[in-house]
Amino acid sequence: MEISKNIEKAIWIELRNVVGALRDVSDVIVRHNGNIWHIEQIGEGESVYLYLEITGIENFDKLISDLERLDVVLSVILIPTFYRVYGKRVIVIGGGAQVAEVAKGAISEADRHNIRGEKISVDTIPLVGEKEIAEAVRAVARLPRAKILILAGSLMGGEITEAVREIKEKGILVVSLNMAGSVPDVADLVVSDPIQAGVMAVMAIADTAKFDIEKQRGKRY
């Protein structure tokens, strides 16, 4: 099971945007035997925000108290993790019309599972151009909580196909619409109907679904 799934709380820090601020925060976390599992910086200007998921902390109250003593820290609060709030992510990339239809199926199916206590969110981006789509595909492996990618278009191949191979090696599942080009040949699952593609992608990552993509790998519907 992923560590990120087990982390219930994260720390939200407002700190001065000065040289050494991140070092000072890290030093305090190290003194508490904490390991930063995930970090994001948000904002710009005289102050910024840090989102930190940390493992190994026995006393969060003491950690927060010690962080608040730092000159660079303006405020610290304990918050639910993004995984707890938004859960697993389905990413949809491709042409506008196809993306919209895939998203319709994915959102409807995610709603059905989220009602049962699951947490699945859907992110989309309509794109054109082989290079642009390939860059977006590779970036999916760097997105926090991303579990599955749906490629929605009428023609994809070349560099996009290579990008698909790369992210599959990093554990990202890939569903493709039945389109021209070589992408369907390397996808885990190929589905002709865009709405059904969205539905099946969500089922593939939902803990509350009785759907094993390993049994469907390489098939076309």
Side-chain angles (χ1 to χ4, degrees):
M1 184 176 291
E2 296 178 355
I3 294 178
S4 60
K5 189 174 183 179
N6 292 328
I7 300 175
E8 295 291 324
K9 296 290 184 179
I11 293 178
W12 182 253
I13 306 176
E14 182 183 7
L15 74 164
R16 305 182 195 282
N17 191 7
V18 296
V19 175
L22 182 58
R23 177 204 59 203
D24 293 347
V25 169
S26 299
D27 285 346
V28 172
I29 293 171
V30 169
R31 290 203 299 271
H32 283 261
N33 295 316
N35 179 46
I36 299 174
W37 172 254
H38 178 70
I39 181 171
E40 290 187 39
Q41 179 176 311
I42 299 158
E44 56 185 26
E46 294 184 357
S47 66
V48 295
Y49 291 91
L50 286 183
Y51 168 85
L52 298 169
E53 294 179 7
I54 309 170
T55 60
I57 302 298
E58 294 184 1
N59 189 333
F60 271 100
D61 290 337
K62 183 64 166 63
L63 173 64
I64 291 174
S65 177
D66 288 348
L67 287 170
E68 288 175 334
R69 292 192 181 97
L70 295 174
D71 291 336
V72 295
V73 171
L74 301 175
S75 65
V76 188
I77 58 173
L78 203 59
I79 59 173
T81 64
F82 283 140
Y83 198 106
R84 183 174 178 81
V85 175
Y86 290 107
K88 305 167 187 173
R89 297 170 76 179
V90 178
I91 312 297
V92 188
I93 297 174
Q98 292 98 328
V99 164
E101 290 301 297
V102 168
K104 185 187 300 183
I107 292 168
S108 297
E109 185 67 13
D111 181 64
R112 190 168 72 89
H113 292 283
N114 290 350
I115 288 173
R116 303 176 186 175
E118 189 95 35
K119 289 292 179 64
I120 297 173
S121 54
V122 181
D123 298 304
T124 66
I125 180 168
L127 286 173
V128 294
E130 180 180 339
K131 180 180 178 181
E132 288 77 7
I133 294 175
E135 288 177 347
V137 169
R138 290 189 173 97
V140 172
R142 302 192 295 270
L143 290 175
R145 301 173 290 105
K147 300 298 176 187
I148 193 164
L149 166 66
I150 311 172
L151 287 170
S154 55
L155 171 61
M156 291 187 191
E159 189 178 350
I160 303 171
T161 302
E162 291 306 311
V164 169
R165 289 194 178 101
E166 291 172 19
I167 67 168
K168 285 179 61 179
E169 290 178 356
K170 297 176 181 178
I172 303 295
L173 296 172
V174 180
V175 174
S176 169
L177 293 188
N178 194 9
M179 65 178 86
S182 55
V183 160
D185 296 332
V186 298
D188 293 295
L189 181 65
V190 179
V191 184
S192 298
D193 181 78
I195 293 179
Q196 188 63 26
V199 169
M200 295 180 77
V202 170
M203 290 176 65
I205 64 171
D207 293 333
T208 49
K210 294 181 179 180
F211 179 84
D212 187 355
I213 196 167
E214 292 298 328
K215 296 179 180 179
Q216 308 297 325
R217 197 179 295 275
K219 293 185 179 181
R220 299 192 181 214
Y221 292 96

